[in-house]
Amino acid sequence: MKAIIIGAGIAGLVAARQLGLAGWQVTVLERAAAPRPDGYMMDFFGPGIEASERIGLHPYLVKAAYQVQAAEYVDAHGTTTASLDYEKFSQIAGGKVLTMLRPEMEAAARAALEDVKPSLISLRYGVQIEQLEVTGQQASVQLADGPQPITGDLLVGADGIHSTVRAGFFGPEEAYLHHLGMRAAAFIVHEPELNRRFKNRFVMTDTVDLAAGIYGLRTQEVAAFLVYRQDTDTPLGTTRDRLRHVFAGCGAHVDRLLELCPEEPYDDSVAQVLMDSWCAGPVVLIGDAAAAVSLLAGQGGAMAVCAGAALGDALGSVTEPRQLPAGLARYEALMRPKIATAQASGRRAANSFLPRNRPALWLRRSIIKATKLPGIDRLVAHQIIKRLAK
């Protein structure tokens, strides 16, 4: 059996590994010229940990993880207003919480492809797709630089929230994309002083209607993550101009970040993908293409790993095309409950992530401070795990 996977993100790479381990011939096609260097920090626990341990991916992820000591909120003067002890949270969660930078998580998934026979996996970057087509039970992909189309028994759309595969076989994204009223930006810049200052801490601004986060990386770089209301009145110009306007007055460290910000960093609507079915003939969607849970859910990486693992579980025993429909039905049955939980969490997070006024800001501070009280810390951590990790 042959699979063509469009997209070399976490979901696509994990699916390629699992199908390859099952004996499938897999071709992964990625539009970007090389692995993307930019991204944001994310926590990885619950169902993602369970899936990664089961399929043997976990050791690769552990090598990519950061040792976060605390998450802190600071005011415009840099004074800490509230903080969470990450180490304590990890202990309550069974010691199985990993914090990773998204591109480094992708690098770990690429490294894990070495577990598959090289003859079964082909990973290509910088491809330009001219046409996607399904004829009967066979899928084909025509590349701009290829005389003959690449054919396969399965076409996997793992090409993100703005999926070309989804648009081609399921309809325009407007039918499936549900915006949550916010935008998120992320970029990485070289800044040794900020790196030293924020090493091993994830620091967020304690602000109304917007939040700027920063984390010091292993190099002398810092990763920035910014979230703001979709309805914010912003000027025309570059994305950098908009971010500088929106986040003015949040503090000297935010000003410095935006001074170094690239002209057009990643900046997109915080949204979810809601679909009744992820399969159409020999075409299947996975990861954000199928069911983006939103950045604020904190489970995008976990769901990507779960989806890749589930697709491998469901299709590993498939040896001929006529068995594919039943296998894809198994995949949906495995993933639907996990996605429902993660998306519900994402919607709750969207309602509470950016306080709309000072009283809401004060309430968040009070809740976080209460986690330092004996017993309350465990209660809060268990509630978070219960809501995210089913």
Side-chain angles (χ1 to χ4, degrees), residues 295-324:
L295 299 176
L296 304 182
Q299 287 285 285
M303 290 301 102
V305 171
C306 286
L311 194 68
D313 290 342
L315 302 184
S317 61
V318 171
T319 57
E320 50 187 85
R322 68 181 181 85
Q323 298 172 329
L324 196 57

mmCIF file of all heavy atoms in Angstrom, residues 295-324:
data_model
loop_
_atom_site.group_PDB
_atom_site.id
_atom_site.type_symbol
_atom_site.label_atom_id
_atom_site.label_comp_id
_atom_site.label_asym_id
_atom_site.label_seq_id
_atom_site.Cartn_x
_atom_site.Cartn_y
_atom_site.Cartn_z
ATOM 1 N N LEU A 295 -4.700 27.340 19.311
ATOM 2 C CA LEU A 295 -3.441 27.466 20.046
ATOM 3 C C LEU A 295 -3.673 27.525 21.552
ATOM 4 O O LEU A 295 -2.851 27.061 22.344
ATOM 5 C CB LEU A 295 -2.718 28.742 19.608
ATOM 6 C CG LEU A 295 -2.322 28.840 18.128
ATOM 7 C CD1 LEU A 295 -1.707 30.193 17.839
ATOM 8 C CD2 LEU A 295 -1.354 27.740 17.767
ATOM 9 N N LEU A 296 -4.799 28.105 21.958
ATOM 10 C CA LEU A 296 -5.035 28.340 23.379
ATOM 11 C C LEU A 296 -5.386 27.061 24.137
ATOM 12 O O LEU A 296 -5.334 27.037 25.363
ATOM 13 C CB LEU A 296 -6.153 29.369 23.559
ATOM 14 C CG LEU A 296 -5.916 30.713 22.844
ATOM 15 C CD1 LEU A 296 -7.056 31.673 23.134
ATOM 16 C CD2 LEU A 296 -4.583 31.309 23.244
ATOM 17 N N ALA A 297 -5.743 25.995 23.423
ATOM 18 C CA ALA A 297 -6.065 24.741 24.101
ATOM 19 C C ALA A 297 -4.821 24.080 24.669
ATOM 20 O O ALA A 297 -4.899 23.269 25.590
ATOM 21 C CB ALA A 297 -6.765 23.779 23.133
ATOM 22 N N GLY A 298 -3.655 24.405 24.109
ATOM 23 C CA GLY A 298 -2.420 23.796 24.584
ATOM 24 C C GLY A 298 -2.288 22.332 24.223
ATOM 25 O O GLY A 298 -1.464 21.625 24.792
ATOM 26 N N GLN A 299 -3.101 21.855 23.295
ATOM 27 C CA GLN A 299 -3.099 20.432 22.960
ATOM 28 C C GLN A 299 -2.894 20.170 21.476
ATOM 29 O O GLN A 299 -3.096 19.044 21.005
ATOM 30 C CB GLN A 299 -4.416 19.798 23.406
ATOM 31 C CG GLN A 299 -4.558 19.624 24.913
ATOM 32 C CD GLN A 299 -3.717 18.474 25.441
ATOM 33 O OE1 GLN A 299 -4.054 17.321 25.272
ATOM 34 N NE2 GLN A 299 -2.606 18.802 26.063
ATOM 35 N N GLY A 300 -2.482 21.187 20.712
ATOM 36 C CA GLY A 300 -2.292 20.982 19.283
ATOM 37 C C GLY A 300 -1.241 19.941 18.972
ATOM 38 O O GLY A 300 -1.458 19.046 18.145
ATOM 39 N N GLY A 301 -0.089 20.012 19.645
ATOM 40 C CA GLY A 301 0.962 19.028 19.431
ATOM 41 C C GLY A 301 0.540 17.646 19.880
ATOM 42 O O GLY A 301 0.813 16.636 19.210
ATOM 43 N N ALA A 302 -0.152 17.586 21.010
ATOM 44 C CA ALA A 302 -0.616 16.298 21.521
ATOM 45 C C ALA A 302 -1.606 15.653 20.564
ATOM 46 O O ALA A 302 -1.535 14.447 20.281
ATOM 47 C CB ALA A 302 -1.261 16.483 22.898
ATOM 48 N N MET A 303 -2.558 16.445 20.048
ATOM 49 C CA MET A 303 -3.537 15.893 19.116
ATOM 50 C C MET A 303 -2.893 15.483 17.796
ATOM 51 O O MET A 303 -3.331 14.533 17.147
ATOM 52 C CB MET A 303 -4.654 16.909 18.873
ATOM 53 C CG MET A 303 -5.567 17.134 20.075
ATOM 54 S SD MET A 303 -6.404 15.634 20.667
ATOM 55 C CE MET A 303 -5.391 15.229 22.109
ATOM 56 N N ALA A 304 -1.831 16.192 17.398
ATOM 57 C CA ALA A 304 -1.122 15.814 16.170
ATOM 58 C C ALA A 304 -0.476 14.446 16.332
ATOM 59 O O ALA A 304 -0.543 13.600 15.433
ATOM 60 C CB ALA A 304 -0.075 16.867 15.831
ATOM 61 N N VAL A 305 0.175 14.220 17.469
ATOM 62 C CA VAL A 305 0.792 12.918 17.732
ATOM 63 C C VAL A 305 -0.282 11.835 17.828
ATOM 64 O O VAL A 305 -0.136 10.739 17.264
ATOM 65 C CB VAL A 305 1.638 12.967 19.014
ATOM 66 C CG1 VAL A 305 2.091 11.559 19.413
ATOM 67 C CG2 VAL A 305 2.850 13.874 18.815
ATOM 68 N N CYS A 306 -1.376 12.147 18.537
ATOM 69 C CA CYS A 306 -2.469 11.172 18.660
ATOM 70 C C CYS A 306 -3.037 10.803 17.292
ATOM 71 O O CYS A 306 -3.326 9.634 17.025
ATOM 72 C CB CYS A 306 -3.582 11.743 19.539
ATOM 73 S SG CYS A 306 -3.218 11.787 21.301
ATOM 74 N N ALA A 307 -3.186 11.809 16.424
ATOM 75 C CA ALA A 307 -3.757 11.546 15.103
ATOM 76 C C ALA A 307 -2.829 10.674 14.266
ATOM 77 O O ALA A 307 -3.277 9.723 13.607
ATOM 78 C CB ALA A 307 -4.034 12.862 14.383
ATOM 79 N N GLY A 308 -1.527 10.986 14.273
ATOM 80 C CA GLY A 308 -0.583 10.165 13.520
ATOM 81 C C GLY A 308 -0.549 8.733 14.023
ATOM 82 O O GLY A 308 -0.504 7.778 13.234
ATOM 83 N N ALA A 309 -0.581 8.603 15.357
ATOM 84 C CA ALA A 309 -0.579 7.262 15.952
ATOM 85 C C ALA A 309 -1.870 6.515 15.623
ATOM 86 O O ALA A 309 -1.847 5.321 15.296
ATOM 87 C CB ALA A 309 -0.397 7.374 17.463
ATOM 88 N N ALA A 310 -3.010 7.213 15.712
ATOM 89 C CA ALA A 310 -4.305 6.579 15.435
ATOM 90 C C ALA A 310 -4.414 6.136 13.988
ATOM 91 O O ALA A 310 -4.953 5.060 13.691
ATOM 92 C CB ALA A 310 -5.440 7.544 15.775
ATOM 93 N N LEU A 311 -3.885 6.949 13.065
ATOM 94 C CA LEU A 311 -3.943 6.552 11.656
ATOM 95 C C LEU A 311 -3.107 5.297 11.432
ATOM 96 O O LEU A 311 -3.519 4.382 10.713
ATOM 97 C CB LEU A 311 -3.441 7.696 10.773
ATOM 98 C CG LEU A 311 -3.747 7.544 9.283
ATOM 99 C CD1 LEU A 311 -5.247 7.651 9.028
ATOM 100 C CD2 LEU A 311 -3.013 8.608 8.468
ATOM 101 N N GLY A 312 -1.942 5.242 12.072
ATOM 102 C CA GLY A 312 -1.128 4.038 11.959
ATOM 103 C C GLY A 312 -1.809 2.824 12.553
ATOM 104 O O GLY A 312 -1.773 1.721 11.975
ATOM 105 N N ASP A 313 -2.444 3.000 13.713
ATOM 106 C CA ASP A 313 -3.168 1.885 14.348
ATOM 107 C C ASP A 313 -4.295 1.380 13.450
ATOM 108 O O ASP A 313 -4.508 0.172 13.306
ATOM 109 C CB ASP A 313 -3.760 2.341 15.689
ATOM 110 C CG ASP A 313 -2.697 2.590 16.740
ATOM 111 O OD1 ASP A 313 -1.562 2.105 16.577
ATOM 112 O OD2 ASP A 313 -3.003 3.291 17.729
ATOM 113 N N ALA A 314 -5.041 2.336 12.872
ATOM 114 C CA ALA A 314 -6.230 1.969 12.104
ATOM 115 C C ALA A 314 -5.900 1.352 10.760
ATOM 116 O O ALA A 314 -6.638 0.499 10.253
ATOM 117 C CB ALA A 314 -7.110 3.204 11.902
ATOM 118 N N LEU A 315 -4.770 1.777 10.156
ATOM 119 C CA LEU A 315 -4.458 1.330 8.800
ATOM 120 C C LEU A 315 -3.286 0.360 8.736
ATOM 121 O O LEU A 315 -2.941 -0.116 7.653
ATOM 122 C CB LEU A 315 -4.151 2.541 7.909
ATOM 123 C CG LEU A 315 -5.255 3.598 7.779
ATOM 124 C CD1 LEU A 315 -4.838 4.677 6.784
ATOM 125 C CD2 LEU A 315 -6.574 2.971 7.353
ATOM 126 N N GLY A 316 -2.676 0.083 9.873
ATOM 127 C CA GLY A 316 -1.505 -0.786 9.877
ATOM 128 C C GLY A 316 -1.762 -2.162 9.297
ATOM 129 O O GLY A 316 -0.870 -2.756 8.672
ATOM 130 N N SER A 317 -2.964 -2.673 9.461
ATOM 131 C CA SER A 317 -3.279 -4.017 8.969
ATOM 132 C C SER A 317 -3.886 -4.014 7.566
ATOM 133 O O SER A 317 -4.202 -5.080 7.021
ATOM 134 C CB SER A 317 -4.254 -4.701 9.932
ATOM 135 O OG SER A 317 -5.473 -3.966 10.023
ATOM 136 N N VAL A 318 -4.066 -2.817 7.002
ATOM 137 C CA VAL A 318 -4.658 -2.718 5.657
ATOM 138 C C VAL A 318 -3.620 -3.116 4.607
ATOM 139 O O VAL A 318 -2.531 -2.541 4.552
ATOM 140 C CB VAL A 318 -5.162 -1.282 5.397
ATOM 141 C CG1 VAL A 318 -5.578 -1.115 3.940
ATOM 142 C CG2 VAL A 318 -6.332 -0.950 6.317
ATOM 143 N N THR A 319 -3.953 -4.075 3.790
ATOM 144 C CA THR A 319 -3.015 -4.574 2.772
ATOM 145 C C THR A 319 -3.550 -4.435 1.352
ATOM 146 O O THR A 319 -2.832 -4.722 0.395
ATOM 147 C CB THR A 319 -2.686 -6.051 3.034
ATOM 148 O OG1 THR A 319 -3.906 -6.814 3.048
ATOM 149 C CG2 THR A 319 -1.958 -6.205 4.371
ATOM 150 N N GLU A 320 -4.799 -3.994 1.204
ATOM 151 C CA GLU A 320 -5.369 -3.792 -0.125
ATOM 152 C C GLU A 320 -6.427 -2.697 -0.045
ATOM 153 O O GLU A 320 -7.041 -2.470 1.002
ATOM 154 C CB GLU A 320 -5.962 -5.086 -0.687
ATOM 155 C CG GLU A 320 -6.903 -5.809 0.245
ATOM 156 C CD GLU A 320 -7.304 -7.161 -0.309
ATOM 157 O OE1 GLU A 320 -6.549 -8.130 -0.093
ATOM 158 O OE2 GLU A 320 -8.356 -7.210 -0.981
ATOM 159 N N PRO A 321 -6.647 -1.973 -1.154
ATOM 160 C CA PRO A 321 -7.531 -0.803 -1.149
ATOM 161 C C PRO A 321 -8.935 -1.057 -0.630
ATOM 162 O O PRO A 321 -9.539 -0.174 -0.007
ATOM 163 C CB PRO A 321 -7.547 -0.381 -2.628
ATOM 164 C CG PRO A 321 -6.223 -0.843 -3.158
ATOM 165 C CD PRO A 321 -5.958 -2.142 -2.453
ATOM 166 N N ARG A 322 -9.481 -2.234 -0.865
ATOM 167 C CA ARG A 322 -10.864 -2.470 -0.434
ATOM 168 C C ARG A 322 -11.013 -2.453 1.083
ATOM 169 O O ARG A 322 -12.119 -2.319 1.601
ATOM 170 C CB ARG A 322 -11.367 -3.798 -1.012
ATOM 171 C CG ARG A 322 -10.693 -5.034 -0.458
ATOM 172 C CD ARG A 322 -11.226 -6.308 -1.107
ATOM 173 N NE ARG A 322 -10.608 -7.511 -0.556
ATOM 174 C CZ ARG A 322 -11.028 -8.115 0.545
ATOM 175 N NH1 ARG A 322 -12.081 -7.655 1.204
ATOM 176 N NH2 ARG A 322 -10.402 -9.207 0.985
ATOM 177 N N GLN A 323 -9.896 -2.601 1.817
ATOM 178 C CA GLN A 323 -9.941 -2.564 3.278
ATOM 179 C C GLN A 323 -9.841 -1.142 3.836
ATOM 180 O O GLN A 323 -10.021 -0.926 5.026
ATOM 181 C CB GLN A 323 -8.782 -3.397 3.844
ATOM 182 C CG GLN A 323 -8.823 -4.872 3.470
ATOM 183 C CD GLN A 323 -7.558 -5.592 3.893
ATOM 184 O OE1 GLN A 323 -6.473 -5.014 3.934
ATOM 185 N NE2 GLN A 323 -7.693 -6.882 4.207
ATOM 186 N N LEU A 324 -9.571 -0.188 2.958
ATOM 187 C CA LEU A 324 -9.308 1.178 3.402
ATOM 188 C C LEU A 324 -10.504 1.864 4.072
ATOM 189 O O LEU A 324 -10.342 2.498 5.123
ATOM 190 C CB LEU A 324 -8.812 2.011 2.218
ATOM 191 C CG LEU A 324 -8.134 3.343 2.538
ATOM 192 C CD1 LEU A 324 -6.938 3.135 3.463
ATOM 193 C CD2 LEU A 324 -7.710 4.028 1.253
#
